[in-house]
Amino acid sequence: MNKYGLNELREQFLVFFEEKGHLRLPSFPLIPQNDASLLLINSGMAPMKPWFTGEQEPPRKRVCTCQKCIRTGDIDNVGKTSRHGTYFEMLGNFSFGDYFKKEAIAWCWEFLTERLGLDPALLYPSVYLEDDQAFEIWEKDIGIAPERISRLGKDDNFWEHGSGPCGPCSEVYFDRGAENGCGSADCAPGCDCDRYVEIWNNVFTQFDSDGAGVYTELAQKNIDTGMGLERLACVCQGVGSLFEVDTVMNIINKVSEICGIAYKHDEKADISIRVIADHIRSATMMICDGVLPSNEGRGYILRRLLRRAARHGKLLGVAGPFLNDVCETVIGENESAYPDLTGKAAFINRVVRIEEENFGKTIGAGTAILSGLISQYNARGDKTLSGADAFKLYDTYGFPPELTVEILGENGMSADLGSFNEHMDAQRIRARKAREALGDLACAGVDLGLDNTPTVFTGYESCAETCAVLAIVTQGELSSSIRAGDDGLIVMDKTPFYAEMGGQSADFGTIARDGAVFEVSGVSQNNGGKYLHHGKMLSGTINVDDAVTAEINTLRRNSIMRAHSATHLLHEALRAVLGEHVRQAGSQVEPDRLRFDFTHFSALTKEELADVERRVNGAILDGLPVAVEEMPFNDAKELGAVALFGEKYGDRVRVVRMGGDFSIELCGGTHLDNTAKAGAFSITAEFSVASGVRRVEATTGLATIESLTHARAHLAVLSGMLKAGAPDELEGKLEQNMTMMRELRSKLDAAMSREANGEAQRILTGARELGGLKVITAVIEDVDVDIDKLRQIEDTLRDWEAGVVAVLAAEKDGKITIMAACGKAAVEKGVKAGELIREICSICGGSGGGKPEFAMGGGKDTAKLRAALAAVDGFVLRATTSP
Ligand code: ATP
Ligand code: MG
């Protein structure tokens, strides 16, 4: 047997099938393209479905791949079985109406025994119960003794998925030896124990199933094979678990190094180490393919994997984020096969770090609450967390439910999932009601009594249109007319008004007839695709069935188009400056103002912002022609059009191209015919709106010019105030003023400290000798006295005289402030300012405290101030004479 590394094995397989006339294709991305039935690719054949069904022509009738796969269905097995990962690679050779069973079986055998040198005595084929043809090939062509070929039932050896192409399978099992078996007398390939592992599965798609038990032979028969690369590597490398395969073991070692726990010493720790290694393999590959953590769909799968890995890190005692370090090892082990990992390494690293940091915050609060709940439940001997509590953890604290279940499990508890789901359903209903209420507002809660044909939108070509009024709503009711002064909405057969959608604001304008004018100040669409023109009747009356002239405000429309076309240029510029990972995450287009949200992980630097702005303005100055074309979705994709992630598109799409291929986007909005008309583009703000999502706000056309005019006027006002001749002189003037301020400030400080010195000197002359100390009590009678000044005097006295006990008071607006300072010698003798202040402040109805050297307090009873100060001597005497 040849001992191959995982990366070499992959290459061996692909080269072998290239030699057999197969076209080698790179792995398809983990995100399915045009297949809404699947969140993530989970097998080699999944991305090739259209080639199997004949819907599309494959590039060649023989294809081989090594496909990245994610199976989150296996998540609970990970770390516990030796053969499951959430991420693995599947080797596959495929035939689309070309070779069939005979070749597939022969090549499978040749690869395993001759190319890899596996011992034929350890390999056991299986076939489907009724598949005599495959049985015969194994027996006659390959020469396997019939008792070594198992016939297995539908569960194991018939591949089908609802209706459609399906067929029998033939697997190859590898015998890991009796020592790994269950010891039962009938242990054989197909047994659930660890002795015989399935390494290769050949599917012969031979029938078309109607889903009701009728199978018809397919004219075009296909071969779909799948072999887990990691499992094959286990066999070739003679290791018992896919976690011990060379590249995966390096990741395990990295995790074990970070957490300082040796692998294979403690089963519980090993599970955690394996979970982290596996989940970070998945996460790294998913992020590389464009998945970002979020709260739904595949983004949630990624989030769940990262959170689970983070939590197992905590179980291992790792403090602080560390998963991104594991990513680096995953990238290192895989970049030879997947070179795009290298360019995206920094990005992947950041996504993982931020997600882990954010999770750290959530998990901290949630774990504490859950531990509290667990103790409460334990105290009353209750082993089931109520659905309400589980829901509250999720809904209020964002604590992931699967984590709640996992932590409960570790504490011998469970959650009432039935009740939890009821809470979830109730919340979904509440959310839907809230949405419906919003929808009702848009239709004013009125059944329009119209059919469901959408209003024809003519606004791409024209700004004014003669239309027929189909329905009118005023005062929340269907009406046959609308009169001057009434608010309401009008529905017509067609309209040039763009309804608010896709982030673009609605058109405003008028609907008019013979002196009757309805002013449109908002347009929305109802579920039936009817355009609802909201507004007010300014004069006259409009009736249902009237022919009216609907005319949009072109100034507003033009400024919206400026902002929208500039948004496409901005999107392109961001991708050019920041990288291809930039994806639109939201967009708002208003007259000459735009807001664009996109995926990116750090604040843009000043230089990046300037570069983006320059590129957009460059594209505007180049006067790129804008062309709009409708075409089939696939043609648009061929062109490289930027489609929005997760957005559903119809068969025909609208493609907006600027400057040929400078920018190509699928978009239903209204656009300029030339980018030059956008005018000046200016970025006004850039900030974060969510983890991993940034927002740029910008202006175009008149708004940019207005802001320039405004800034200029502002500068002029400032120049006037500072008496600068021209704005150019502003900086010099300001510099001068600031220097002057600094000088004045230091003069003022010097004068204040001189004054304090004088005051201190005067006060010191009034000191009394008491117990070897110099005791001073004084009320400062200055009208302007403030705390700073008192403090300065106290500090000076303490500097001058180590034996000083100085108590100064000031009275202002009926409030007393008292400070006490004790020099070093005084403190040594036992006189502590903090205690002194506490005592004397209480005499004048207040409180205070501080350190032995300095303390401060206050009081309200001004009449008692003298008495309070008189108590100082007594305090000093007591303090200095007490033992
Ligand atoms: P099992 O019963 O072991 O989960 P499966 O029947 O789900 O396997 P298939 O759907 O036939 O597997 O996938 C083809 C091959 O992919 C398998 O023979 C195996 O080598 C590999 N494979 C499947 N699931 C995993 C996984 N979670 N981790 C690693 N390899 C896998
Ligand atoms: Mg499985």
Side-chain angles (χ1 to χ4, degrees):
M1 179 174 73
N2 307 322
K3 206 165 176 179
Y4 288 115
L6 181 109
N7 285 318
E8 292 164 313
L9 261 181
R10 183 193 299 111
E11 192 58 23
Q12 286 293 332
F13 176 89
L14 294 170
V15 167
F16 178 86
F17 281 97
E18 277 181 314
E19 288 164 12
K20 307 286 183 203
H22 290 64
L23 172 69
R24 178 207 290 224
L25 292 178
S27 172
F28 290 83
L30 282 167
I31 300 178
Q33 313 287 304
N34 300 325
D35 180 1
S37 70
L38 205 58
L39 276 178
L40 290 156
I41 294 298
N42 59 3
S43 69
M45 73 80 70
M48 302 184 190
K49 274 189 219 156
W51 299 342
F52 276 101
T53 56
E55 209 177 298
Q56 274 175 29
E57 245 337 85
R60 195 188 288 178
K61 283 185 176 324
R62 298 178 184 188
V63 162
C64 62
T65 58
C66 175
Q67 176 63 44
K68 301 179 260 191
C69 297
I70 299 272
R71 285 194 185 177
T72 33
D74 286 339
I75 197 164
D76 291 323
N77 283 329
V78 170
K80 296 181 187 153
T81 74
S82 59
R83 59 178 211 280
H84 287 100
T86 55
Y87 171 81
F88 64 97
E89 293 174 68
M90 198 185 284
L91 301 167
N93 53 291
F94 307 91
S95 154
F96 308 103
D98 190 47
Y99 65 85
F100 203 46
K101 291 182 194 177
K102 202 173 164 64
E103 295 85 345
I105 290 176
W107 290 336
C108 160
W109 190 254
E110 182 187 340
F111 179 71
L112 291 176
T113 55
E114 287 174 34
R115 189 58 62 97
L116 299 186
L118 294 184
D119 181 356
L122 299 178
L123 297 175
Y124 292 83
S126 73
V127 298
Y128 174 55
L129 224 46
E130 299 166 7
D131 192 355
D132 295 334
Q133 203 185 1
F135 193 96
E136 230 182 85
I137 297 172
W138 282 112
E139 188 189 356
K140 303 266 158 61
D141 294 8
I142 311 292
I144 310 277
E147 64 276 13
R148 291 171 53 90
I149 309 169
S150 359
R151 287 181 185 260
L152 299 177
K154 247 189 166 170
D155 277 357
D156 281 304
N157 274 14
F158 196 91
W159 188 89
E160 87 187 300
H161 217 83
S163 57
C166 59
C169 312
S170 172
E171 301 164 322
V172 178
Y173 287 83
F174 179 80
D175 180 2
R176 295 181 54 223
E179 67 274 21
N180 288 304
C182 54
S184 133
D186 51 0
C187 180
C191 176
D192 270 344
C193 75
D194 265 349
R195 174 165 180 181
Y196 299 98
V197 273
E198 173 200 327
I199 53 173
W200 203 333
N201 191 357
N202 294 278
V203 182
F204 312 125
T205 35
Q206 179 171 6
F207 303 110
D208 188 39
S209 155
D210 70 350
V214 179
Y215 299 93
T216 21
E217 286 270 335
L218 280 173
Q220 175 192 301
K221 296 192 177 68
N222 305 313
I223 291 291
D224 154 25
T225 74
M227 171 157 61
L229 175 60
E230 289 84 350
R231 286 199 196 167
L232 181 66
C234 285
V235 169
C236 290
Q237 296 177 9
V239 295
S241 144
L242 67 81
F243 292 94
E244 286 160 40
V245 162
D246 58 336
T247 56
V248 190
M249 195 63 209
N250 290 336
I251 303 166
I252 293 275
N253 287 338
K254 176 74 184 181
V255 177
S256 133
E257 177 199 314
I258 293 174
C259 61
I261 295 178
Y263 188 57
K264 289 239 155 150
H265 277 270
D266 167 34
E267 178 55 16
K268 210 167 160 216
D270 287 353
I271 291 181
S272 290
I273 293 175
R274 288 194 288 263
V275 166
I276 296 169
D278 169 76
H279 289 9
I280 297 306
R281 283 180 90 211
S282 293
T284 304
M285 304 311 277
M286 284 168 80
I287 299 168
C288 184
D289 280 356
V291 183
L292 282 173
S294 75
N295 278 335
E296 53 193 18
R298 52 183 84 88
Y300 189 64
I301 292 179
L302 172 60
R303 174 159 282 171
R304 197 175 152 201
L305 289 168
L306 285 171
R307 288 177 164 186
R308 212 160 169 259
R311 209 181 79 77
H312 278 276
K314 293 260 178 323
L315 287 180
L316 292 172
V318 187
F322 73 106
L323 298 178
N324 55 321
D325 292 338
V326 183
C327 281
E328 270 167 34
T329 309
V330 174
I331 292 170
E333 296 300 327
N334 287 287
E335 58 194 341
S336 62
Y338 302 101
D340 51 340
L341 280 170
T342 316
K344 292 186 181 153
F347 179 70
I348 295 171
N349 200 301
R350 248 179 314 181
V351 174
V352 171
R353 200 188 55 226
I354 291 177
E355 183 67 14
E356 192 181 5
E357 279 169 2
N358 288 345
F359 183 54
K361 292 173 203 152
T362 312
I363 206 181
T367 312
I369 292 165
L370 183 53
S371 322
L373 286 170
I374 290 174
S375 339
Q376 279 172 28
Y377 275 73
N378 274 332
R380 55 172 194 260
D382 189 348
K383 293 270 161 225
T384 316
L385 188 76
S386 74
D389 281 338
F391 179 73
K392 187 165 179 206
L393 270 169
Y394 165 73
D395 194 46
T396 313
Y397 304 102
F399 202 69
E402 59 278 351
L403 203 52
T404 304
V405 170
E406 204 170 319
I407 295 177
L408 288 173
E410 287 161 11
N411 288 277
M413 288 178 62
S414 60
D416 182 346
L417 288 178
S419 153
F420 173 81
N421 287 332
E422 278 167 22
H423 279 87
M424 289 291 280
D425 288 345
Q427 191 208 35
R428 258 178 234 127
I429 291 169
R430 277 197 301 278
R432 198 180 61 228
K433 288 229 167 95
R435 268 199 309 277
E436 279 171 1
L438 277 178
D440 276 350
L441 267 184
C443 310
V446 173
D447 179 359
L448 296 171
L450 300 173
D451 61 19
N452 264 351
T453 45
T455 306
V456 177
F457 175 66
T458 62
Y460 289 134
E461 304 87 28
S462 67
C463 300
E465 194 73 48
T466 305
C467 314
V469 175
L470 299 182
I472 293 175
V473 176
T474 62
Q475 284 153 6
E477 281 179 26
L478 215 50
S479 166
S480 56
S481 61
I482 182 166
R483 268 178 272 282
D486 285 350
D487 290 314
L489 62 86
I490 295 182
V491 182
M492 302 177 292
D493 58 341
K494 53 184 186 292
T495 183
F497 283 85
Y498 191 87
E500 173 153 354
M501 68 187 127
Q504 179 176 326
S505 303
D507 285 323
F508 293 173
T510 53
I511 296 173
R513 175 194 79 106
D514 305 331
V517 180
F518 178 81
E519 186 176 47
V520 178
S521 56
V523 186
S524 59
Q525 243 183 320
N526 75 3
N527 292 338
K530 288 275 190 288
Y531 279 50
L532 313 171
H533 304 80
H534 306 252
K536 191 182 183 80
M537 203 64 206
L538 298 184
S539 60
T541 303
I542 287 180
N543 309 296
V544 171
D545 292 336
D546 277 353
V548 288
T549 305
E551 186 170 4
I552 64 166
N553 174 338
T554 48
L555 286 180
R556 179 181 162 91
R557 160 69 79 81
N558 288 343
S559 59
I560 292 173
M561 294 199 298
R562 287 197 287 267
H564 203 155
S565 295
T567 300
H568 287 208
L569 298 177
L570 171 65
H571 191 179
E572 216 42 58
L574 286 168
R575 287 163 68 91
V577 173
L578 303 177
E580 295 289 309
H581 63 269
V582 167
R583 284 214 174 87
Q584 173 167 344
S587 154
Q588 192 79 47
V589 178
E590 284 162 39
D592 272 332
R593 284 187 196 279
L594 60 101
R595 193 176 93 183
F596 188 73
D597 296 346
F598 57 99
T599 52
H600 184 60
F601 272 89
S602 50
L604 271 66
T605 63
K606 263 208 300 244
E607 291 73 25
E608 285 168 340
L609 278 174
D611 195 6
V612 168
E613 201 176 70
R614 204 165 32 240
R615 280 166 194 264
V616 175
N617 279 314
I620 290 173
L621 293 176
D622 285 343
L624 307 177
V626 179
V628 179
E629 211 183 318
E630 283 211 359
M631 59 178 81
F633 181 77
N634 284 331
D635 291 6
K637 267 192 49 190
E638 202 100 308
L639 277 178
V642 178
L644 293 194
F645 227 60
E647 195 96 330
K648 282 257 179 292
Y649 294 97
D651 292 342
R652 288 188 72 78
V653 290
R654 192 165 177 270
V655 177
V656 177
R657 305 177 67 165
M658 302 188 177
D661 56 6
F662 181 84
S663 154
I664 308 179
E665 289 199 32
L666 303 188
C667 177
T670 56
H671 283 274
L672 304 167
D673 55 9
N674 188 296
T675 59
K677 293 186 181 172
F681 172 84
S682 164
I683 294 179
T684 51
E686 190 273 338
F687 51 95
S688 157
V689 282
S691 134
V693 181
R694 314 275 323 166
R695 174 173 297 172
V696 163
E697 292 179 350
T699 56
T700 52
L702 284 177
T704 302
I705 293 168
E706 266 161 26
S707 76
L708 285 178
T709 313
H710 186 76
R712 211 162 44 197
H714 212 64
L715 275 183
V717 170
L718 286 182
S719 305
M721 285 169 70
L722 284 165
K723 302 211 164 32
D728 280 356
E729 293 170 23
L730 259 179
E731 281 162 40
K733 271 280 184 208
L734 207 56
E735 191 61 49
Q736 264 176 28
N737 276 341
M738 279 159 57
T739 312
M740 197 159 75
M741 290 258 273
R742 270 195 298 275
E743 284 169 9
L744 288 175
R745 178 84 240 174
S746 81
K747 279 189 187 148
L748 185 64
D749 286 349
M752 276 174 58
S753 108
R754 264 199 310 280
E755 201 189 357
N757 276 351
E759 195 89 14
Q761 222 147 32
R762 196 179 56 72
I763 290 170
L764 197 55
T765 53
R768 318 182 275 287
E769 290 281 347
L770 205 63
L773 299 173
K774 281 190 165 25
V775 179
I776 299 169
T777 49
V779 179
I780 308 293
E781 308 276 5
D782 183 349
V783 277
D784 285 333
V785 71
D786 58 19
I787 290 181
D788 284 347
K789 183 167 173 189
L790 271 188
R791 171 125 212 186
Q792 206 163 17
I793 298 173
E794 291 276 34
D795 287 348
T796 312
L797 285 170
R798 210 174 33 182
D799 280 351
W800 284 348
E801 185 53 65
V804 80
V805 178
V807 182
L808 304 181
E811 206 191 304
K812 204 172 187 180
D813 305 330
K815 268 170 61 187
I816 302 166
T817 305
I818 309 180
M819 284 184 191
C822 296
K824 206 160 164 263
V827 174
E828 274 165 13
K829 284 203 163 179
V831 186
K832 300 201 175 90
E835 294 169 7
L836 173 55
I837 274 288
R838 239 191 322 277
E839 183 166 322
I840 60 171
C841 284
S842 71
I843 298 175
C844 52
S847 62
K851 299 218 163 77
E853 301 78 30
F854 180 80
M856 203 173 133
K860 303 181 287 277
D861 200 349
T862 50
K864 299 256 176 72
L865 177 55
R866 303 279 154 186
L869 292 180
V872 171
D873 287 5
F875 180 89
V876 172
L877 279 178
R878 258 182 287 127
T880 50
T881 53
S882 70

